[in-house]
Amino acid sequence: MKIDVVEALQLKEKPEWGQNLGFGKIFTDYMFTMNWTEKEGWCNAKIEPYGPLSLDPASLVLHYAQETFEGMKAYKTKDGRILLFRPEMNARRFANSNRRLCMPELSEDMYIEAVSAIVEHEKDWIPTAEGTSLYIRPFMFATEAAVGVHPSSSYKFIILLSPVGAYYPEGMNPVKIYVEDEYVRATKGGTGFTKCGGNYAASIAAQVKAQKLGYTQVLWLDGVQHKYIEEVGTMNVMFKISNKIVTAPCDGTVLPGVTRDSIIHLLKFWGYEVEERHLSIEELMQAGKDGTLEEAFGTGTAAVISPIGELNYKGEITIVNDFKTGELTKKLYDTLTGIQWGDVKDPFGWTHEVK
Ligand code: COI
């Protein structure tokens, strides 16, 4: 791919690289941009200064939300190498999301080339303090100026980069989760398995409700019976019940998380039994009552591994593991981040060096 570089007139001052980076508030000097048109296909690949876009107010994305995105991270190892984590999984999921939303696909090679090019260009922005990384946000949206509902005839693909610390203010401490029994996130045949902005727009009301009640995130139940556990607002979710790990299957309504898949691999590698099955909220709350619910945690690129300390379902409260991070949760966090940061041997070939 031919990528033109447009030089910035002035570079930004870099922030303090500690945990106080927060999540997704600081952006690097440059972004990657590329256009798609019916006539030319993908064209105009550029690394250009990060900055505001000029968009026609009739751009289809602003009206009908034809938008998809991904979330990835880049890490700098102690010996200065730059690592991505399983980028091919994000490339494939992005293509699946785009297919569902009738948007053009990028080949796996093109996607990884674009991500690698901007990360390499902005490598001085990769923070190195413990628990920090460079968050990568590739996204694509419809740019045709039209008000009728139809697939856009033009799109823009952008990758922006943001040095980040922990996603939740709690960091690696347990979070409190509200089980949502009114709003739903996804139903079969919908877009639950994709990463599209619309899924998150529709989830905000439940998040606001949970936060008003003092909870960090929402646990979604299935959209038909409001009975089976699906995922948490910004992450997949797993429960250790009687030494087995249970998580919802990816059968259309749950996001196929890269971290989810990696944790399932790690658990099986360590000899744990993992059940990808429909777990009812009644069974989960009962396990909380009878003490067989040993640990609960979320998995996601932004959230990494996030211990869950409390569940509230219709006012009934279950405290998990005395509101402490579980032993297995901690071991998973240490191993996964160890592989991602290049500190722990990667027996699976998950790390991808940017050169
Ligand atoms: C990620 O984990 O990378 C995500 O995209 C979740 C996001 C909504 C913060």
Side-chain angles (χ1 to χ4, degrees):
M1 187 181 357
K2 179 178 162 292
I3 305 175
D4 291 326
V5 179
V6 182
E7 291 297 335
L9 293 177
Q10 206 182 348
L11 298 183
K12 299 174 190 170
E13 206 170 300
K14 297 206 173 53
E16 294 274 320
W17 289 134
Q19 272 289 340
N20 55 355
L21 279 172
F23 190 90
K25 292 191 276 246
I26 301 161
F27 303 99
T28 68
D29 290 307
Y30 289 87
M31 59 186 181
F32 177 91
T33 64
M34 184 161 68
N35 298 334
W36 186 91
T37 64
E38 275 174 347
K39 226 164 113 202
E40 291 181 79
W42 289 113
C43 55
N44 241 333
K46 269 190 227 149
I47 289 178
E48 59 179 297
Y50 181 96
L53 305 171
S54 166
L55 272 188
D56 192 298
S59 294
L60 279 167
V61 66
L62 301 177
H63 303 269
Y64 308 120
Q66 223 191 346
E67 190 267 357
T68 53
F69 70 98
E70 271 303 319
M72 307 168 69
K73 281 176 175 169
Y75 312 87
K76 200 178 268 175
T77 63
K78 295 202 173 73
D79 58 3
R81 289 173 306 129
I82 300 164
L83 301 180
L84 301 175
F85 185 71
R86 308 185 75 185
E88 68 290 347
M89 296 271 292
N90 297 88
R92 276 178 226 148
R93 188 173 62 186
F94 196 47
N96 288 339
S97 299
N98 290 332
R99 205 171 306 128
R100 175 64 180 80
L101 273 92
C102 294
M103 294 165 67
E105 289 170 39
L106 251 101
S107 71
E108 206 172 302
D109 286 351
M110 245 175 136
Y111 178 94
I112 296 176
E113 191 182 338
V115 169
S116 304
I118 188 69
V119 168
E120 160 69 21
H121 192 272
E122 298 292 81
K123 58 177 183 270
D124 292 346
W125 281 89
I126 306 176
T128 50
E130 203 186 319
T132 64
S133 54
L134 186 69
Y135 189 73
I136 306 167
R137 170 52 61 86
F139 61 109
M140 192 195 294
F141 54 90
T143 52
E144 182 188 333
V147 178
V149 181
H150 58 261
S152 178
S153 60
S154 60
Y155 295 86
K156 197 164 193 84
F157 173 64
I158 300 184
I159 305 172
L160 57 84
L161 304 175
S162 172
V164 297
Y167 184 76
Y168 297 123
E170 289 91 338
M172 185 49 191
N173 298 314
V175 292
K176 290 168 68 178
I177 301 285
Y178 184 81
V179 184
E180 177 54 52
D181 62 335
E182 178 195 357
Y183 298 115
V184 297
R185 177 185 171 274
T187 50
K188 284 246 165 82
T191 54
F193 67 94
T194 72
K195 247 177 135 48
C196 67
N199 285 348
Y200 295 81
S203 77
I204 290 173
Q207 187 181 328
V208 168
K209 175 177 153 192
Q211 281 172 349
K212 274 195 189 136
L213 294 165
Y215 289 82
T216 308
Q217 281 280 324
V218 164
L219 172 58
W220 295 106
L221 300 179
D222 75 275
V224 178
Q225 300 185 64
H226 296 210
K227 180 173 174 182
Y228 296 105
I229 278 146
E230 299 230 308
E231 64 184 71
V232 167
T234 52
M235 52 192 188
N236 294 110
V237 66
M238 302 196 182
F239 301 96
K240 181 167 173 258
I241 304 174
S242 303
N243 210 36
K244 286 182 195 161
I245 288 73
V246 186
T247 191
C250 286
D251 55 7
T253 53
V254 166
L255 188 81
V258 176
T259 312
R260 174 189 179 279
D261 183 78
S262 310
I263 291 302
I264 291 174
H265 266 84
L266 263 179
L267 287 166
K268 289 187 176 166
F269 184 67
W270 290 338
Y272 281 95
E273 209 175 306
V274 181
E275 295 180 347
E276 292 180 70
R277 68 168 170 94
H278 297 288
L279 168 69
S280 74
I281 184 66
E282 281 82 16
E283 182 184 342
L284 179 65
M285 295 308 278
Q286 187 55 44
K289 264 193 221 144
D290 64 27
T292 52
L293 173 60
E294 294 154 355
E295 298 186 32
F297 55 92
T299 65
T301 299
V304 195
I305 306 286
S306 177
I308 293 172
E310 178 180 326
L311 294 163
N312 178 332
Y313 176 55
K314 294 185 193 272
E316 188 190 324
I317 288 178
T318 284
I319 302 292
V320 187
N321 193 39
D322 292 329
F323 212 88
K324 291 203 233 49
T325 301
E327 214 174 287
L328 180 62
T329 307
K330 177 82 175 68
K331 184 172 166 195
L332 285 167
Y333 176 88
D334 289 344
T335 310
L336 181 75
T337 55
I339 293 174
Q340 290 171 332
W341 266 274
D343 290 334
V344 168
K345 196 168 168 297
D346 169 14
F348 308 105
W350 284 339
T351 49
H352 172 104
E353 190 172 341
V354 174
K355 289 186 183 153

